[in-house]
């Protein structure tokens, strides 16, 4: 009987110890810290709603984003406002196209560009920064030289030149934004790798015969994953902002496709007294996305940064 009690108490102690270790793990602790941040959680909910709107909003639309309502064409100022009776929930644009359907399409385009081009650019920059910081020497000097030259080139000029050769499409937009932002995360990852590459666990991996590439991707990169996650959360809104800016200037997404920037540009160009809905609705979605993403990034920084623990 006494032996059974001792065995049960030992098992209970082992379970408690395992639970304590699990609860104190880095990612578990970061998750708890993030969900204590009310603004970050609310912003995550708002971003989730935007994704639902982009994915399923077209199911509620009674018009296609390319379709023209000939009954209001030429009478946009008087009859083109938001209305539930004719199915134009957000009104129509100056060409008589349903603004609700176009905002759905623009939301889908802007979020796709941001959440594909942003992480891809950070991953590319992180890989180059890790290689540069680990090997150093000529490779480091070459990468830093290209970095210095690249950030001195205005990206608007690069957009215009690229589109002159390869045309304007959603795929080209994503590709050119990745190329423009390949420097994202490079310096911060390079600094972290230079700080970690002489640590004991890296020396142990070398003694075990692991290759340099295996050390970088199996030991160094997982240790700086939190830096990459934080930086990605900050780059995504910047990418959406850049796409919206070039579309606003008329060198971005090409008709009939659209984005938040293109819709805001159309709304600002055609806005007169009584037609403010053309600017209000796309601008509202753009602001909600930007504010939500910045609060999410701030929450991730507070949750993942070891200095904040």
């Amino acid at each position: 009987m006494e032996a059974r009690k001792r065995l049960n108490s030992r098992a209970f102690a082992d379970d408690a110890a395992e639970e304590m270790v699990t609860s104190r793990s880095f990612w578990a602790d970061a998750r708890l810290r993030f969900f204590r941040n009310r603004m970050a959680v609310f912003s995550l909910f708002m971003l989730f709603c935007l994704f639902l709107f982009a994915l399923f909003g077209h199911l509620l639309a009674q018009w296609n984003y390319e379709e023209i309502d000939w009954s209001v064409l030429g009478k946009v100022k008087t009859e083109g406002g938001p209305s539930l009776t004719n199915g134009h929930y957000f009104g129509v644009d100056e060409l008589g196209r349903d603004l609700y359907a176009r905002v759905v399409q623009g939301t889908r385009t802007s979020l796709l560009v941001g959440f594909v081009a942003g992480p891809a650019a950070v991953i590319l920059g992180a890989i180059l920064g890790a290689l540069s910081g680990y090997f150093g020497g000529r490779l480091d000097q070459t990468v830093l030289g290209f970095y210095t030259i690249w950030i001195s080139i205005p990206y608007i000029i690069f957009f215009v030149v690229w589109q002159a050769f390869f045309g304007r499409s959603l795929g080209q937009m994503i590709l050119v934004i990745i190329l423009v932002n390949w420097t994202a995360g490079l310096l911060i990852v390079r600094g972290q790798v230079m700080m970690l590459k002489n640590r004991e666990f890296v020396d142990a991996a070398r003694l075990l015969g692991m290759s340099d590439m295996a050390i970088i991707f199996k030991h160094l990169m997982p240790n700086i994953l939190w830096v990459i996650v934080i930086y990605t959360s900050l780059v995504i809104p910047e990418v959406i902002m850049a796409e919206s800016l070039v579309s606003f200037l008329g060198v971005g997404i090409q008709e009939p496709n659209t984005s938040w920037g293109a819709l805001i540009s159309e709304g600002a160009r055609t806005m007169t007294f009584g037609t403010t809905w053309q600017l209000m609705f796309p601008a509202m979605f753009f602001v909600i996305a930007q504010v939500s993403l910045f609060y999410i990034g701030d929450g991730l920084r507070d949750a993942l940064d070891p200095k904040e623990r």
Side-chain angles (χ1 to χ4, degrees):
M1 188 68 179
E2 187 67 25
R4 182 178 296 177
K5 288 182 178 180
R6 193 176 302 169
L7 183 62
N8 290 337
S9 64
R10 181 177 299 176
F12 177 78
D14 292 341
D15 292 339
E18 183 178 355
E19 182 179 357
M20 184 179 299
V21 171
T22 302
S23 65
R24 292 181 178 178
S25 65
F26 177 79
W27 293 104
D29 181 63
R31 184 174 63 252
L32 292 175
R33 289 169 62 88
F34 179 82
F35 281 104
R36 290 195 192 107
N37 189 325
R38 294 182 179 180
M39 283 303 302
V41 173
F42 178 73
S43 298
L44 187 64
F45 170 75
M46 294 299 296
L47 186 63
F48 178 71
C49 291
L50 284 179
F51 270 102
L52 291 180
F53 178 78
L55 292 174
F56 305 110
H58 67 282
L59 299 177
L60 300 177
Q62 298 186 27
W63 299 81
N64 186 275
Y65 71 96
E66 300 179 69
E67 189 177 357
I68 297 176
D69 185 356
W70 297 99
S71 65
V72 298
L73 187 62
K75 299 178 288 185
V76 173
K77 185 175 180 179
T78 57
E79 300 181 15
S83 173
L84 296 178
T85 57
N86 57 12
H88 298 303
Y89 311 133
F90 292 173
V92 299
D93 64 6
E94 75 280 5
L95 297 179
R97 297 173 296 186
D98 183 49
L99 189 59
Y100 172 82
R102 291 184 65 76
V103 171
V104 172
Q105 179 67 18
T107 302
R108 187 178 302 171
T109 300
S110 294
L111 291 180
L112 180 64
V113 171
F115 281 86
V116 172
V122 173
I123 291 173
L124 178 59
I127 292 174
L128 291 174
L131 296 174
S132 175
Y134 183 83
F135 291 106
R138 290 185 177 179
L139 177 62
D140 188 38
Q141 295 176 1
T142 302
V143 171
L144 290 181
F146 275 113
Y147 172 87
T148 304
I149 295 172
W150 193 258
I151 62 174
S152 65
I153 301 175
Y155 68 88
I156 296 295
I157 296 178
F158 187 79
F159 266 95
V160 173
V161 173
W162 181 276
Q163 291 175 355
F165 283 97
F166 301 104
R168 294 162 59 181
S169 66
L170 180 59
Q172 294 293 339
M173 171 66 72
I174 293 175
L175 179 59
V176 73
I177 287 182
I178 293 174
L179 294 177
V180 166
N181 292 277
W182 69 270
T183 56
L186 188 149
L187 291 183
I188 191 169
V189 171
R190 171 180 174 270
Q192 291 288 323
V193 169
M194 292 178 67
M195 183 176 63
L196 293 174
K197 69 179 182 179
N198 294 319
R199 293 286 182 87
E200 291 79 2
F201 68 93
V202 177
D203 293 335
R206 291 194 187 100
L207 291 175
L208 291 174
M210 294 187 68
S211 64
D212 291 328
M213 300 303 292
I215 292 173
I216 292 174
F217 289 102
K218 290 185 178 180
H219 291 282
L220 293 178
M221 294 297 277
N223 278 280
I224 59 174
L225 182 61
W226 64 274
V227 176
I228 298 174
V229 171
I230 293 175
Y231 208 81
T232 301
S233 68
L234 300 177
V235 168
I236 289 174
E238 292 180 0
V239 167
I240 294 177
M241 179 73 76
E243 183 278 324
S244 298
L245 177 60
V246 296
S247 295
F248 182 86
L249 296 176
V251 293
I253 297 296
Q254 189 175 20
E255 292 283 358
N257 203 353
T258 189
S259 68
W260 285 332
L263 290 172
I264 292 172
S265 176
E266 294 171 5
R269 185 176 65 251
T270 61
M271 186 178 66
T272 57
F273 180 76
T275 62
T276 55
W277 65 83
Q278 297 184 43
L279 175 63
M280 179 181 67
F281 287 107
M284 179 180 66
F285 278 82
F286 175 77
V287 170
I288 290 174
Q290 288 292 338
V291 173
S292 298
L293 286 167
F294 277 117
Y295 271 113
I296 291 171
D298 188 63
L300 287 173
R301 180 186 59 80
D302 293 340
L304 294 175
D305 192 347
K307 296 179 182 178
E308 302 290 337
R309 290 166 64 87

